[in-house]
Amino acid sequence: MMKAMMYGKKVGYGSMKKDYVYLCGGMEGYEKDHMQGWRHLATNHLELSDIDTLDPTRRFSFHDGFMDRNAVNRVVKMDLQDISRSTILLCDMRYEEPGKRWGSMAEIAHAHTKNKIIIVWTDEDDIKHPFLEFYATEIHHTLEECLDAIVNYY
């Protein structure tokens, strides 16, 4: 059986793992270091509990070709496949951060239709958007609270 490398671990194609946390959050309009910062903190924290993550910023270079329809579709399809392989989404939806979060909200809606657990990170004074309130399994106001909630699902 062929093996693929996913975050340093060999994964057989015939038995693809489906127990990841997908790290959903703004990417367009961000500097690479900014969009990866909280994701690295989350990954490091969850690894302590033997929980693996799927980080869409690993495909950062693909985001350069948004004038090419095929490149856009490729990014979306790969992100949706990551969501399919995940049990939980951790979603940074804080309003204080730049970006419109259209992609993140689409990912959340898609995950909801697949009965995924959706843990949302907002600031306490953020506007409570009805769709986000509806789709979120849990809403927390710090990254640490979100990570603790995720660990409680395992």
Side-chain angles (χ1 to χ4, degrees), residues 17-18 31 44 47 51 82 84 98 105 107:
K17 182 178 174 182
K18 291 187 91 168
E31 295 295 324
N44 291 337
E47 282 178 348
I51 300 169
D82 279 356
S84 292
M105 198 61 225
E107 290 175 340

Side-chain angles (χ1 to χ4, degrees), residues 21 46 51 88-90 119 138 145-154:
V21 174
L46 293 171
I51 300 169
I88 298 175
L89 270 70
L90 170 57
I119 306 296
E138 298 185 25
E145 291 171 354
C146 292
L147 297 171
D148 289 344
I150 290 168
V151 169
N152 283 324
Y153 281 95
Y154 286 87

Side-chain angles (χ1 to χ4, degrees), residues 51-139:
I51 300 169
D52 294 321
T53 62
L54 290 173
D55 180 349
T57 66
R58 72 187 189 278
R59 294 187 283 270
F60 181 77
S61 62
F62 290 14
H63 286 259
D64 291 339
F66 277 171
M67 298 307 289
D68 176 358
R69 179 186 181 279
N70 293 333
V72 170
N73 287 349
R74 188 176 305 124
V75 167
V76 171
K77 285 296 187 179
M78 287 188 295
D79 288 350
L80 294 179
Q81 287 180 353
D82 279 356
I83 291 167
S84 292
R85 290 196 309 263
S86 300
T87 301
I88 298 175
L89 270 70
L90 170 57
C91 308
D92 179 1
M93 297 299 284
R94 295 171 294 157
Y95 284 172
E96 72 178 35
E97 300 300 318
K100 295 180 177 75
R101 301 242 186 329
W102 292 351
S104 298
M105 198 61 225
E107 290 175 340
I108 289 169
H110 174 77
H112 178 77
T113 68
K114 304 296 183 190
N115 201 30
K116 304 294 182 177
I117 297 162
I118 302 167
I119 306 296
V120 173
W121 174 19
T122 65
D123 288 323
E124 280 191 63
D125 56 347
D126 284 348
I127 297 167
K128 295 188 179 357
H129 192 284
F131 279 91
L132 189 57
E133 295 284 323
F134 175 78
Y135 288 135
T137 307
E138 298 185 25
I139 296 177

